[in-house]
Amino acid sequence: MTIAAIIVAAGRGRRAAGPLPKQYQQLAGIPVLARSIEVFARHPQIGKIIVVVNSDDLALFAQRIKPHCGDAVHCVSGGETRADSVFAGIAAAEGAQKVLIHDAARPLVTQDLISKVVKALETHSGAAPALAVSDALWQGADDRVVACVPRDGLYRAQTPQGFQRETIMAAHAAHIGGASDDVEVALAAGLDVAIIEGEETNLKITYASDFQRAERILGHSMDIRCGNGFDVHAFCEGNSVTLCGVTLPFSHGLLGHSDADVGMHALTDAIFGALAEGDIGQHFPPSEARWKNAASDLFLGHAVARVQARGYRFGNADVTLICEAPKIGPHAGEMRAALAGIMEVDMDRISVKATTTEKLGFTGRGEGIAAMATVTLVKS
Ligand code: MG
């Protein structure tokens, strides 16, 4: 029995202002829509994810959202109205017995809430979260209260709203249009919809100020880690050195079991440090022949995969190369790009800089190169 999540992201979201529709804007470093998708993608009972995108936004989706969620997501074009878009999503969920219809603008939905809706669908033809209204309700006109409205039995509706797929599909096909959500469509078709206790944090991002509110909520659960790494390699005979993934012609080589990329080793160690997962030597023992002459992007790539597997993303990384020569400055941009490519982050999160030790010590005497690195990892 498959349960499909239909994430409706076809709206234009103009009330939130900003250069992009709100679902494509960043919320604490990740687009709103990618956050919504990610919660469903992690849920063990969700077998399929369909994202309904405005046909004008397909390129935006490919560029901004796809890198976060990969191939697990099926993208379909929306229609003229919200109901048309939902219908396109339900139609694309062929094979699923149940569907959870979720508004992309509610990125703080929790696994727990999804589970409760799924559970209620075992005994009801529809189920949706809502919060009982606790504030007094007024009717107003011209900035004046004209009446007080009894709040008994009133709820603020949320999503995901869950239904048996065939039933809600038929309900949509028969509906006259203009419904504000899918529960309204279900009620018009006479379906039984259970109310699940909603979550105050499951807010809908509508206005610009909602981004700040959502970021405050995320901030409370944000997990930030920092790691540092240090490495040294001695010069040896040779005619090039590889530093932060870039090979430079030089009067010497660097001695090492692998390609001796001292900068990338320090960075890789910083990542293992942030994860508290030992060090580069434990993951790639120099005693093992298979790492001989290995390109260090293999080591860094492994550390990056560990970051992703643990659910973190990179905040930033800063690498300092310590040597009298070669000159690093002219190549720093290329090094940053090489590291950013392996780490799958924007280049502005990666720094590569250099210093000397004023001719003091082993680096000052030109016996080798040292490197230090700091990295932050973020999970929210
Ligand atoms: Mg090393």
Side-chain angles (χ1 to χ4, degrees):
M1 175 202 68
T2 308
I3 304 173
I6 297 166
I7 299 175
V8 188
R12 307 311 291 158
R14 290 298 179 216
R15 279 177 292 180
L20 295 168
K22 63 184 175 186
Q23 59 272 35
Y24 295 96
Q25 292 181 32
Q26 304 267 354
L27 173 64
I30 298 179
V32 169
L33 174 54
R35 285 187 179 274
S36 297
I37 292 170
E38 201 259 333
V39 183
F40 286 91
R42 275 194 292 122
H43 197 286
Q45 288 173 288
I46 303 297
K48 194 171 186 179
I49 296 177
I50 291 150
V51 183
V52 189
V53 173
N54 193 296
S55 53
D56 292 340
D57 295 340
L58 290 170
L60 204 54
F61 181 84
Q63 181 202 351
R64 294 200 159 233
I65 309 300
K66 211 83 206 284
H68 290 276
C69 54
D71 297 327
V73 168
H74 186 62
C75 174
V76 297
S77 289
E80 282 287 302
T81 64
R82 184 186 180 279
D84 292 339
S85 296
V86 170
F87 194 81
I90 301 170
E94 207 177 354
Q97 197 191 339
K98 298 171 183 176
V99 291
L100 301 189
I101 304 167
H102 185 67
D103 194 331
R106 293 186 190 270
L108 305 188
V109 59
T110 63
Q111 304 274 307
D112 195 38
L113 191 61
I114 295 170
S115 298
K116 285 178 184 165
V117 174
V118 169
K119 176 85 181 139
L121 281 182
E122 289 173 10
T123 47
H124 298 272
S125 57
L131 288 167
V133 172
S134 58
D135 297 323
L137 289 181
W138 300 334
Q139 194 163 10
D142 300 327
D143 294 334
R144 285 206 157 67
V145 179
V146 295
C148 291
V149 180
R151 66 182 174 223
D152 297 344
L154 291 185
Y155 286 83
R156 290 184 285 139
Q158 299 187 339
T159 68
Q161 301 182 346
F163 307 94
Q164 311 297 326
R165 176 177 175 268
E166 295 292 332
T167 345
I168 193 67
M169 198 161 171
H172 264 281
H175 197 262
I176 52 165
S180 56
D181 68 3
D182 301 289
V183 167
E184 189 175 338
V185 173
L187 285 191
L191 302 183
D192 151 50
V193 181
I195 300 175
I196 309 303
E197 171 93 35
E199 293 174 346
E200 203 57 65
T201 51
N202 184 23
L203 62 101
K204 182 175 182 178
I205 294 185
T206 308
Y207 301 104
S209 61
D210 295 329
F211 278 90
Q212 283 129 43
R213 213 173 125 213
E215 284 185 358
R216 275 201 303 278
I217 293 166
L218 282 169
H220 289 303
S221 60
M222 193 172 271
D223 179 7
I224 298 174
R225 285 170 166 247
C226 177
N228 68 69
F230 180 76
D231 196 27
V232 170
H233 282 265
F235 285 128
C236 62
E237 271 186 36
N239 53 23
S240 69
V241 293
T242 299
L243 297 170
C244 296
V246 176
T247 301
L248 307 176
F250 192 56
S251 54
H252 293 82
L254 281 172
L255 186 63
H257 191 70
S258 65
D259 65 4
D261 187 334
V262 62
M264 212 182 275
H265 291 182
L267 177 58
T268 304
D269 246 358
I271 296 169
F272 287 134
L275 292 171
E277 289 195 12
D279 59 39
I280 194 169
Q282 283 168 258
H283 290 264
F284 305 97
S287 56
E288 287 184 20
R290 59 190 167 131
W291 310 126
K292 189 165 171 55
N293 298 326
S296 297
D297 54 5
L298 186 88
F299 305 157
L300 180 57
H302 177 76
V304 171
R306 289 300 308 145
V307 168
Q308 290 164 350
R310 292 271 301 270
Y312 288 92
R313 64 181 196 279
F314 289 103
N316 72 309
D318 183 20
V319 180
T320 302
L321 296 165
I322 305 165
C323 56
E324 300 292 332
K327 278 257 169 285
I328 303 301
H331 309 285
E334 201 185 338
M335 292 175 181
R336 291 172 60 208
L339 297 178
I342 298 166
M343 294 165 77
E344 298 175 20
V345 297
D346 290 340
M347 205 169 133
D348 67 3
R349 291 183 184 274
I350 309 295
S351 154
V352 174
K353 60 195 195 302
T355 189
T356 71
T357 49
E358 302 290 338
K359 303 252 178 359
L360 298 171
F362 69 88
T363 55
R365 292 189 297 272
E367 295 168 6
I369 300 184
M372 50 196 279
T374 306
V375 67
T376 57
L377 306 180
V378 181
K379 186 180 346 195
S380 53

